[in-house]
Amino acid sequence: SEIPSPSPSERPTKVASESPSDEPSDAPTPTPCLRLDKASYECGEPIVVDFNFDNAFSDDWIGIYPCETNVYLHSEVWQWACGAPGCADAVFKGDLVFNGLPSYNANGPHTWPIAPYMTMDGPLNRCFKAVYLREDGPSVPPYNAMCESIEFTIQENNDPGCSVREANLNVIGDDEA
């Protein structure tokens, strides 16, 4: 077949076309419900989480957990998706900035800044993730994870509270659930 030229031709031209395929095309990739502003943070640096969740409830929240967590009990720190306790309406889309402990984080083993820690079996953990959570019934953990962000790292530094912790004291492990 001939490729059309940019100038008119006296004779007709043909353009190659693809034959239809019997195979279905790939479905569009869904937009992740949680995105971070970067992949690595210094301890104490604000962590910006962008969320977009079509099935939001008014009492949903986002927590920061170590990467190996798969039973969601107590997070390092968390925030209501709507920005404050007691929201009347669900917030489906927005940004949360983790830059300290909200007053409602006083109940529970939450911490800011989030520092890397030594795991029970020895290696240093710097890997964390944001998790969009929902409770199913009374506010008693474990909570239901609706989606997770990609993993990100937090690097220790010399700021107060930012040296490597002896152990992850804030999050109960899977074997203790």
Side-chain angles (χ1 to χ4, degrees), residues 59-65 69-80 104-105 107-110 129 131-148 170-172 174 177:
D59 58 353
D60 291 345
W61 69 95
I62 296 170
I64 306 291
Y65 287 87
T69 305
N70 57 25
V71 175
Y72 298 98
L73 301 172
H74 302 290
S75 60
E76 296 283 329
V77 62
W78 64 277
Q79 290 188 39
W80 293 109
Y104 50 81
N105 274 212
N107 298 325
H110 309 293
K129 61 186 174 183
V131 183
Y132 191 103
L133 297 151
R134 176 172 296 155
E135 61 189 350
D136 185 17
S139 181
V140 178
Y143 303 112
N144 296 322
M146 307 311 288
C147 69
E148 298 179 3
N170 292 324
V171 180
I172 299 171
D174 297 339

Side-chain angles (χ1 to χ4, degrees), residues 5-176:
S5 70
S7 56
S9 163
E10 292 182 17
R11 59 189 175 103
T13 57
K14 297 179 186 173
V15 177
S17 64
E18 292 185 32
S19 301
S21 170
D22 292 333
E23 296 295 317
S25 60
D26 292 335
T29 304
T31 302
C33 86
L34 294 175
R35 290 187 205 195
L36 298 158
D37 63 328
K38 46 199 275 189
S40 184
Y41 299 88
E42 287 290 319
C43 177
E45 181 180 4
I47 300 169
V48 180
V49 179
D50 175 61
F51 66 95
N52 185 351
F53 191 63
D54 291 338
N55 191 25
F57 288 3
S58 63
D59 58 353
D60 291 345
W61 69 95
I62 296 170
I64 306 291
Y65 287 87
C67 290
E68 74 272 4
T69 305
N70 57 25
V71 175
Y72 298 98
L73 301 172
H74 302 290
S75 60
E76 296 283 329
V77 62
W78 64 277
Q79 290 188 39
W80 293 109
C82 66
C87 298
D89 298 317
V91 176
F92 300 92
K93 187 175 185 177
D95 292 324
L96 292 177
V97 178
F98 289 85
N99 191 20
L101 283 177
S103 60
Y104 50 81
N105 274 212
N107 298 325
H110 309 293
T111 188
W112 187 267
I114 300 171
Y117 63 90
M118 298 303 295
T119 63
M120 298 283 197
D121 54 354
L124 176 62
N125 180 66
R126 291 186 175 102
C127 185
F128 295 87
K129 61 186 174 183
V131 183
Y132 191 103
L133 297 151
R134 176 172 296 155
E135 61 189 350
D136 185 17
S139 181
V140 178
Y143 303 112
N144 296 322
M146 307 311 288
C147 69
E148 298 179 3
S149 73
I150 60 167
E151 296 176 349
F152 62 94
T153 60
I154 297 178
Q155 302 296 321
E156 67 274 9
N157 59 45
N158 293 325
D159 292 346
C162 288
S163 58
V164 173
R165 294 182 276 170
E166 298 254 340
N168 186 15
L169 303 175
N170 292 324
V171 180
I172 299 171
D174 297 339
D175 55 348
E176 298 176 32

